[in-house]
Amino acid sequence: MGGRIVTMTTRQRAEQIVTALPLTDRIRLVSGRDFWHTAAAPGVPSVMLTDGPHGLRKQGGPADHVGLADAVPATCFPVAATLASSWDASLLEEVGAALGREARAEDVAVLLGPGLNLKRHPRGGRNFEYFSEDPFLSGTLAAAMVRGIQSEGVGACPKHFAANNQETGRMVIDTILDERTLRELYLRGFEIVARTAAPAAFMTAYNRVNGEFASDSAHLLRDVLRGEWGFDGLVVSDWGGTNDHVAGLTVGMDLEMPGGSAAFDREIGRAVADGRLAEANLDRSAARVVELALRWQEVRGDAAPDLDAHHALARRAAAAGTVLLTNDGLLPLPADGTLAVVGAFAAEPRYQGAGSSKVNPTRVDDLLTALTAAHDGVTHARGYDPATGATTPALLAEAAAVAHAADRVVLVVGLPDRAESEARDRADWSLPAGMDQLVEVVLAANPRTAVVVVNGGTVNLPWADRPAALVEAYLGGQAGGSALADVLLGHAEPGGRLAESIPFAVTDLPADRNFPGHPKQVEYREGLNVGYRFHDTWDVPARFAFGHGLSYTAFSWGEVEVSGEESDLTVAVDITNTGTRAGSEVVQVYVRDVLARVPRPAKELQGFAKAWLEPGETARVEVPLDRRAFTYWDVAAGDWLLEAGEFEVLVGASSVDIRGSAVVLLESDDAVTPVPVTAGPVATDAEFAALLGRPVPTPAPRRPFTRTSTPADLSASLPGRALVAVLRRLLARQFSAEDTEGVEDLVEAVLAGLPLRSFVLMGAGVSFPVLDRVIAALNGDVRRVVRPGR
């Protein structure tokens, strides 16, 4: 008689493998093999995890260093800031699938992205890698990208979990914020992805959150991610970002990267031996690593992505994310007449950000070539140095002459490559002074000028109302030049709407009072007052509002209708293209609690949809809302509560351009808890303490030195400065020999905020016992230097 066939799940197979391994092998599994690969074990292959969020960045040489310059060619898609401006989840799923195909072809099991942190402040150095100032938009688009990547069998790894909203001091900074703000703003996007897209992995942030390093935060990992959201996939550290792997394994942080140093192996073994780390927790994390490897083994295989098709997709995506801010009718450009193209970026494009996300593109299109091929009578003037943005009297004179002689002008300005990079925040919010000067000169020479801005994050635009047209192109990836030409000539519509507000002045923003904060601590005293939530609640207009963007056609909006039962509703509106060109409109649905007893923003985005319409066509656009759209985080209850009463559903083309509304009456038995109220958009000491529910913590002192001390801390002493010189050389070795452009600047930026433990974790040839003795010496602890602890 035949026996019953029992089929094990991949997780059960992984657990079975782990159970049979000796302790040393299980410990090895929870740290990588080298810079980019997991460790192998009997029956378990080593697999690769690598960047990036908008294009594959896989090292072409030995995988033993950061290697920013020697990556294999891959399609450089538009950055997240550009993709988010499309407000098109289906497009992001397409881009994700293309990323997955290219990763699969290079035998990459996990793509480290998308970036999901919120844009708290415009000067955030990594804002180009992130989607929006709004968590619902961020989470919805990131979830679409995750689904696309994973449709090809490649795992996605959203990052950086959580509250990593600046680069200054990012590896040691303690982000202090109240629980409601954490939940409603900084965790919500991650929650949407965790609940709706089931990513293979999450990456922890470098920073602390309310005193706990994200890599071993019981609250973030055990209570929220694993507990409330039920995530059971892999949690991996950011590279060199593991603070205490024993503590991390206890709360659910599985894989320490990079590997190869065996930095924590000894500590993990001792913790298991003395009972500080339950062996079951180690085995659970090891099984997750094995499960990831087994799943990749099941799907890996030859793939040949169509790079021409991916370039075409990148071109379409860049156009879809291009935002037309103003236009008096100059755009689209007519086919006749002469055209002056001014700006070095038109010929030498700025199309991606700097740092770990930098892609080696398969090709690069530039705007000047694309316009010259499609338009007769094109002339060009550089206007500025593309590396610095600086200009000269000769360059200005040439630009003025070329502009004056033409019928129309396209002027391209923006931020130089080094202005926006991982590891450092922007020094200021302005364009280089030479570019502002160039704008004035060109507009004086020819007012029929379209100014195009290429940048990863918002910039000051004091002259915004003067050009005949103003275009926010962001960073369009390798096809950004041809995509921009498509938009300017009218071959493609400017499909973008702002995913972040552009303020009149950065000093208007509440977050500016605490950005970047103390070297060891940043306080989010603005609470929920970020982006349009601030502008619309406190009646401080933005120069260009969240959601704003013009079209080459016109639309009429019908009456707003709301149907459904209780809080499960559908918002519907008819949109008609009343113009003569095809185009798209983004229907944005905001919710306002009319008589809230708990302070809430004036409105919050809770749904959106994009409609594409031919001239004269009408489409009925429907946007679903569920209970969560009307709730807030009640700290006392530890839950999302719905306050009974009237809610206004606002439907519009931006956060301030509301085209229609409806009022719904919702019933609820939830007992809301009164909460502290702030008199202004920035909490005082007493108000912030009340929001936190505890005294505002004092920033950690620089001394005594610890494993988390930075070179900036050490530089206060002569021995410390000598050690910093050694550390600088060790860090420089982490970059490949081919890395040249901007590497010295990047090394200095990274070095300033790099905790000492990272030199052990990044494979610099230093062990924790040696590091601990050095730290003891710097602290003057002679006994520990002579007789170091275990």
Side-chain angles (χ1 to χ4, degrees), residues 36-37 48 50-52 55-61 67 70-74 103 105-108 358:
W36 300 113
H37 295 84
M48 188 175 199
T50 198
D51 298 314
L56 179 67
R57 190 181 72 83
K58 177 188 176 183
Q59 278 184 232
D70 58 353
V72 300
E106 290 291 343
D107 199 25
V108 170
K358 199 162 190 176

Side-chain angles (χ1 to χ4, degrees), residues 754-778:
L754 199 64
L756 296 179
R757 59 168 156 76
S758 292
F759 289 93
V760 178
L761 304 180
M762 298 292 280
V766 181
S767 67
F768 275 132
V770 170
L771 176 64
D772 291 340
R773 292 180 70 178
V774 171
I775 292 171
L778 290 171

Side-chain angles (χ1 to χ4, degrees), residues 165-183:
N165 311 106
Q166 65 184 59
E167 293 300 284
T168 304
R170 62 176 178 161
M171 299 189 79
V172 295
I173 200 81
D174 193 358
T175 301
I176 307 299
L177 74 169
D178 66 279
E179 184 69 12
R180 182 182 174 195
T181 298
L182 177 66
R183 296 288 189 148

Side-chain angles (χ1 to χ4, degrees), residues 167-173 208 213 519-520 700-717 720-721 723-724 727 748-759 771 775 778:
E167 293 300 284
T168 304
R170 62 176 178 161
M171 299 189 79
V172 295
I173 200 81
R208 292 181 173 99
F213 274 102
K520 299 287 187 180
R702 290 194 167 188
R703 306 202 54 172
F705 301 125
T706 68
R707 288 182 181 183
T708 59
S709 295
T710 66
D713 298 330
L714 301 182
S715 295
S717 70
R721 287 194 292 275
L723 178 59
V724 170
L727 297 178
E748 290 305 313
V750 171
L751 182 70
L754 199 64
L756 296 179
R757 59 168 156 76
S758 292
F759 289 93
L771 176 64
I775 292 171
L778 290 171

